[in-house]
Amino acid sequence: LSVCSKLCYAIGGAPNQVAGSAAAFFLQIYLLDIAHITPFHASLVLFIGKASGAVTDPVAGFFISKSRWTKIGRLMPWMLACTPFTVVSYFFMWYLPPFVAGRVAWYLIFYCLFQALTTLFQVPYSALTMFLSTDQKERDSATAYRMTMEVLGTLIGAALQGQIVASAHVSHHCTVNTTSHFISPHDAPSFPEPLDPLSHQVYMIAAGVIGGVYLLGIVIFFFGVKEKDDPYALTSDRAIPFCKGLGLTMKHGPYVKLTASFLLISTAVQLEQSNFVLFCTHAANLRNHFQYLVVTILVSAAVSIPFWQKILQRFGKKCAAYGISWMIPFAVMLVTIPNLILAYFVAFVSGLSIAASLLLPWSMLPDVVDNFRLQNPHGKGHETIFYSSYVFFTKMSTGIGLGISAAGLEFTGYKPGICKQSNDVILTLKILIGAVPAILIIVGLLILLFYPITEESRKETKLALEMLR
């Protein structure tokens, strides 16, 4: 693979991350403080939206696995077709409708559409790794390029969104006296209904900019990447039926262990992302720094991807995965000692861990697919089944986590538009940032101990597949 080809492949995945990052960091606080829906309804939007995207994964895998080869490939048409609709749904996801009664339904519909459409892109895009090259090192290199660009996309999304919408969350009555006692909703300066148009318009501007990034990315991707047909399949081989293939993947030990481990880890990372801005705003007195802290996290993640690529080449992928645990002690320190300098240090270390959590599952999944191919040499079309079901499980777990976290804020009495939340809300945010992610990461890494594919077995599989080819 040429460097240009790998770059174009990587750029293709960046727009999804740009939009996903903006939603991960800012959608919850947008729903609560700009759209003024209750935390309970926000939890429904977040959970059902993630669940709809998760349910779309196996459906997408089913139809994509039955797709026929075209002049531009088998996977490329799906990615091209869904992109314009994704842009439209993303734009309306940040639009404040003039009515109040159906506002929850509005955000639920467009967030579900956005999640479903990004799935229709993500499943064939991630499976495309298997059709770029037969060489494991080339695929690992393409994955490293992809993850670097996706983390940069995450950085661009959060930075763009953070810089554009920061003014919507600067409350002048809060900056006058940040040490004031808890203010009841009746005493707090209320936001008019509908909100100050400027607060909403900045979100619309950000959505328009990110929509443009989507279109630019897909154009570069289409003209720079050439999809190859399955190099191992014989003309006599038949595609594995989707339901049968799904049953086989669920019985494949390496896949089950990898998925179980990283769905817990990805849930921990998602909880950190979605609650970080709320934590900085309400629990750590860092409301004027949150956009810079978010950028620090993502810059750290972007620049450390090549470092993690070297680590996994030198020490193996399974060993490198334990670097994700670096996040735990520093997140706990931030919760217990909310200090500005410490916050930036925690943001930097968290970026290192997030980079590892993004790179490693997508680097390890092709090894699992190769292992399955070796055990089932006369079937084809199983790649999309692996990738779609993996994304399904991780999305479902993060959706459940986000729903529970937003419901927890509702239960403890979160009130939008006030300077200082109650002690119960602050405690809940500290638990969601510190204790819960720490437990999830520890359990996920313990499961990964039983992951059977080592560097030695990976090389043996590579040799066996070369002989098969």
Side-chain angles (χ1 to χ4, degrees):
L1 290 174
S2 66
V3 172
C4 180
S5 179
K6 286 186 276 193
L7 271 175
C8 290
Y9 170 66
I11 289 170
N16 252 1
Q17 301 306 314
V18 173
S21 168
F25 280 108
F26 293 96
L27 183 59
Q28 182 163 276
I29 198 169
Y30 170 83
L31 294 175
L32 294 173
D33 287 1
I34 304 297
H36 274 192
I37 69 176
T38 67
F40 174 72
H41 288 132
S43 71
L44 287 181
V45 171
L46 294 171
F47 170 69
I48 296 175
K50 284 285 185 182
S52 69
V55 169
T56 310
D57 285 302
V59 176
F62 174 78
F63 286 107
I64 293 169
S65 66
K66 292 184 175 296
S67 300
R68 295 184 178 181
W69 183 264
T70 67
K71 291 182 180 180
I72 59 173
R74 186 164 61 93
L75 304 174
M76 187 69 76
W78 287 89
M79 294 178 273
L80 290 178
C82 70
T83 298
F85 300 101
T86 306
V87 173
V88 172
S89 65
Y90 181 78
F91 183 80
F92 282 110
M93 192 173 83
W94 301 98
Y95 175 72
L96 187 70
F99 47 83
V100 177
R103 194 170 286 177
V104 175
W106 174 277
Y107 290 114
L108 185 60
I109 289 169
F110 283 105
Y111 188 49
C112 287
L113 277 174
F114 173 70
Q115 288 293 331
L117 289 165
T118 53
T119 294
L120 288 177
F121 182 93
Q122 190 66 26
V123 170
Y125 175 75
S126 53
L128 186 62
T129 310
M130 303 301 298
F131 301 101
L132 294 175
S133 173
T134 58
D135 186 80
Q136 289 181 348
K137 286 187 177 180
E138 287 292 315
R139 290 198 311 242
D140 286 347
S141 176
T143 301
Y145 272 81
R146 171 192 160 192
M147 286 300 113
T148 302
M149 197 59 66
E150 287 193 356
V151 172
L152 283 173
T154 305
L155 167 62
I156 291 168
L160 274 176
Q161 190 88 355
Q163 293 301 320
I164 294 172
V165 310
S167 60
H169 298 286
V170 175
S171 185
H172 298 294
H173 70 276
C174 291
T175 56
V176 173
N177 184 12
T178 56
T179 60
S180 61
H181 295 293
F182 175 72
I183 302 174
S184 72
H186 302 291
D187 298 330
S190 60
F191 294 94
E193 188 60 36
L195 290 170
D196 175 7
L198 183 62
S199 297
H200 171 236
Q201 286 172 5
V202 292
Y203 273 95
M204 297 296 296
I205 293 168
V209 171
I210 290 174
V213 172
Y214 248 110
L215 297 176
L216 178 63
I218 195 67
V219 169
I220 295 172
F221 174 66
F222 174 69
F223 287 105
V225 176
K226 184 177 180 182
E227 180 184 345
K228 299 176 182 177
D229 206 356
D230 190 342
Y232 296 116
L234 304 174
T235 54
S236 59
D237 289 345
R238 294 185 177 182
I240 298 175
F242 183 82
C243 293
K244 179 183 177 182
L246 190 60
L248 290 173
T249 60
M250 293 302 102
K251 296 176 183 176
H252 192 60
Y255 177 72
V256 172
K257 293 179 178 66
L258 180 71
T259 303
S261 173
F262 277 98
L263 69 83
L264 293 173
I265 292 169
S266 62
T267 302
V269 171
Q270 189 73 42
L271 283 172
E272 289 273 352
Q273 284 184 324
S274 63
N275 290 290
F276 187 76
V277 175
L278 283 171
F279 173 80
C280 291
T281 303
H282 298 298
N285 199 24
L286 298 170
R287 68 172 65 242
N288 296 323
H289 297 273
F290 71 79
Q291 66 266 40
Y292 307 112
L293 289 167
V294 168
V295 169
T296 303
I297 291 173
L298 298 172
V299 167
S300 170
V303 299
S304 63
I305 289 284
F307 163 75
W308 286 113
Q309 180 68 7
K310 294 291 184 184
I311 290 290
L312 67 86
Q313 289 175 349
R314 177 70 178 85
F315 299 102
K317 299 176 183 179
K318 186 175 175 179
C319 180
Y322 291 94
I324 298 169
S325 62
W326 294 354
M327 182 193 299
I328 297 172
F330 296 101
V332 173
M333 286 171 63
L334 178 62
V335 167
T336 53
I337 317 169
N339 174 277
L340 180 60
I341 296 174
L342 179 62
Y344 277 99
F345 188 66
V346 169
F348 174 77
V349 176
S350 296
L352 298 179
S353 297
I354 288 171
S357 72
L358 290 172
L359 174 65
L360 286 160
W362 296 112
S363 182
M364 297 164 83
L365 196 54
D367 301 335
V368 173
V369 176
D370 280 346
N371 183 272
F372 181 85
R373 158 72 77 180
L374 196 59
Q375 297 179 20
N376 301 271
H378 296 294
K380 62 181 181 179
H382 57 277
E383 294 86 0
T384 52
I385 300 174
F386 272 100
Y387 281 88
S388 63
S389 55
Y390 175 78
V391 178
F392 165 78
F393 287 120
T394 52
K395 278 188 179 178
M396 186 60 77
S397 65
T398 55
I400 293 171
L402 289 177
I404 291 173
S405 72
L409 293 175
E410 166 82 12
F411 180 75
T412 52
Y414 180 90
K415 302 291 184 185
I418 63 175
C419 295
K420 187 174 177 62
Q421 297 290 340
S422 68
N423 290 331
D424 288 341
V425 172
I426 293 173
L427 178 61
T428 301
L429 287 169
K430 288 181 177 181
I431 291 171
L432 291 172
I433 285 289
V436 176
I439 293 169
L440 291 173
I441 290 172
I442 290 170
V443 175
L445 293 177
L446 287 174
I447 294 173
L448 198 64
L449 285 172
F450 302 97
Y451 177 69
I453 298 179
T454 62
E455 290 304 297
E456 292 73 20
S457 65
R458 192 167 71 90
K459 291 175 183 176
E460 291 170 2
T461 301
K462 178 184 176 182
L463 179 60
L465 285 175
E466 287 174 352
M467 293 176 67
L468 175 68
R469 189 185 179 203

